[in-house]
Amino acid sequence: MMEHQQPDMPENANNAPATVLRVDNWDALKDHASTVRHEVFVIEQEVPPELEMDEMDAQCVHAVAYDAQHRPIATGRLLPDGHIGRMAVRKSARGTGIGGLVLQRLIQAARARGDTEVVLSAQVHAMGFYARYGFVAEGDVYMDAGIAHRTMSLQLA
């Protein structure tokens, strides 16, 4: 697929060490992506495991960020229809800018394949994060897996 590995510094990394971010398919990244997602969604947010994992993973572009010790610390995915989802950052890496780096890479992947828009289902508490990257809220708040969400979109130039 599209194995990309490169060191990056998140924009507001609080002097964090260089991070490696990989963008690839599910087969290449599933072990690390699912580790982060399980910790954040299933353990922290108590999302049932059967709702967190789905058949769409195999069709998505995935991004996983690693810390200086090569541990997976953040992930997200880009679906074939231009939706970004399963954005998750481990507690230890929150506030370092790594979530924004993952988001920007997924947006870049969408642009590269010719998408004109990306859409996501933001947890309400995270809407400010997505707004900082240009996403605009649409519609009403709704519940998904017992968590309040709102649709947000970004037009790609």
Side-chain angles (χ1 to χ4, degrees):
M1 165 116 184
M2 53 173 73
E3 167 85 28
H4 296 295
Q5 226 174 256
Q6 70 186 78
D8 268 306
M9 283 296 287
E11 288 177 14
N12 49 343
N14 304 330
N15 298 316
T19 300
V20 171
L21 186 117
R22 290 183 61 195
V23 176
D24 210 333
N25 63 32
W26 184 239
D27 286 340
L29 296 178
K30 68 181 168 189
D31 291 342
H32 295 153
S34 58
T35 295
V36 175
R37 285 166 48 177
H38 183 82
E39 183 178 310
V40 173
F41 297 126
V42 177
I43 295 173
E44 279 183 44
Q45 297 182 349
E46 300 179 349
V47 172
E50 61 275 11
L51 294 180
E52 201 292 305
M53 302 303 287
D54 65 25
E55 71 287 346
M56 292 305 297
D57 278 320
Q59 302 171 45
C60 293
V61 173
H62 294 267
V64 176
Y66 300 85
D67 65 13
Q69 289 75 43
H70 309 292
R71 293 177 298 222
I73 54 172
T75 190
R77 72 181 189 180
L78 174 65
L79 286 90
D81 66 0
H83 278 74
I84 290 175
R86 302 304 198 270
M87 289 285 301
V89 178
R90 287 180 137 164
K91 267 187 190 173
S92 62
R94 290 182 195 149
T96 66
I98 197 65
L101 188 61
V102 169
L103 181 63
Q104 289 172 319
R105 282 300 166 78
L106 293 172
I107 293 167
Q108 186 178 43
R111 235 184 225 117
R113 74 176 183 198
D115 294 358
T116 57
E117 175 185 53
V118 285
V119 178
L120 52 81
S121 180
Q123 292 185 7
V124 170
H125 72 85
M127 287 176 61
F129 165 77
Y130 294 112
R132 285 195 297 277
Y133 293 92
F135 282 83
V136 178
E138 308 172 349
D140 296 325
V141 172
Y142 58 92
M143 299 302 285
D144 185 10
I147 300 167
H149 285 73
R150 191 156 176 213
T151 299
M152 297 184 81
S153 67
L154 174 68
Q155 298 301 312
L156 303 178

